[in-house]
Structures are given as structure tokens and as C-alpha cells.
Amino acid sequence: MNTKQKLHQLRMNEWTTRFSDQKASGLTVKEWCNQNNLSIHTYNYWKHALKEELASQVFPDIVPIVIPESSASPAPIVSNDSVLTNCAIRSTAKLTYNNISIEFDSNISEAFLATIIKAVRHA
């Protein structure tokens, strides 16, 4: 851990104590901040920072899913010598893993399907 990280952790520990003190005081945040010569903005900044830190420790393996943009329109279906536009025959598939079920269209790309599977595995 470098110096910057150590200083950040020290501040997080300091603010964890301050949040406990504020709660135990029975004062509102505004009253407590006034008594301790702190701005509400600073209080809220560190409250948000601490929540983010805790969330990253609890959920370190969250995999973001990026939905690819599809510019291709469905191919027209030819039926009885006439062309139907904006129609396509589609089928769906269902993926179930660890009590998570996702239904998706059969024309999903392999890359996007792999991303979904990776995300579900880490859920």
C-alpha cells in the first residue's frame, strides 16, 4: 500500500468514527457539523466515499454488461411472392444459473452471450 492509499485509509477510519459520533450524539447532521466546525458538504462527501469503499469491498466481482448496438435490421421474409418488412422469425433461449434466469433472443452475438454468462457466474 503506497502513502496515498494509507492516507486515504486513515481518513476513512477517521470518518467512520465521526459518523458513529454523530449518530450517538442524537444531534442532526447539521447541528453536529456546526458543533464540530465541519461543512455538511464535507460530511456528505466522506459519507458517500465510505459507502463506495464498502460497496467495492462487498461487491468486488461485479462485471459490467455493455449492450452492443445493432445497426442491422431484420432480413425481410419472403412469403407467397410478397416481401414482409420489419418482420423476422425469432426464437428465444433461456439461461439459468444459480437461480438467475435470463431469456434472450436467438440472434444474440456470441460475444454478448459470453459477457452475460460471465456476469451471471459472478453474481
Side-chain angles (χ1 to χ4, degrees), residues 10-25:
L10 182 65
R11 286 185 180 149
M12 286 294 193
N13 292 342
E14 178 184 323
W15 276 95
T16 299
T17 302
R18 286 180 175 181
F19 294 131
S20 296
D21 292 347
Q22 184 276 321
K23 189 171 186 175
S25 74

Side-chain angles (χ1 to χ4, degrees), residues 19-116:
F19 294 131
S20 296
D21 292 347
Q22 184 276 321
K23 189 171 186 175
S25 74
L27 299 171
T28 66
V29 171
K30 183 177 181 180
E31 292 168 339
W32 186 87
C33 286
N34 285 337
Q35 281 189 0
N36 290 278
N37 298 319
L38 296 166
S39 71
I40 292 177
H41 173 76
T42 301
Y43 180 94
N44 287 332
Y45 169 84
W46 284 103
K47 185 175 181 181
H48 175 76
L50 186 61
K51 283 181 181 181
E52 289 294 316
E53 177 97 5
L54 292 173
S56 69
Q57 291 172 6
V58 173
F59 305 114
D61 293 327
I62 291 179
V63 178
I65 297 178
V66 178
I67 301 174
E69 293 184 26
S70 175
S71 60
S73 58
I77 301 170
V78 178
S79 172
N80 296 330
D81 297 327
S82 63
V83 176
L84 303 174
T85 57
N86 296 327
C87 297
I89 298 174
R90 294 185 175 180
S91 61
T92 59
K94 184 175 184 178
L95 169 69
T96 303
Y97 185 83
N98 286 345
N99 296 323
I100 298 172
S101 294
I102 301 173
E103 288 190 36
F104 49 89
D105 198 271
S106 63
N107 65 358
I108 189 171
S109 73
E110 282 186 45
F112 187 54
L113 181 58
T115 302
I116 290 173

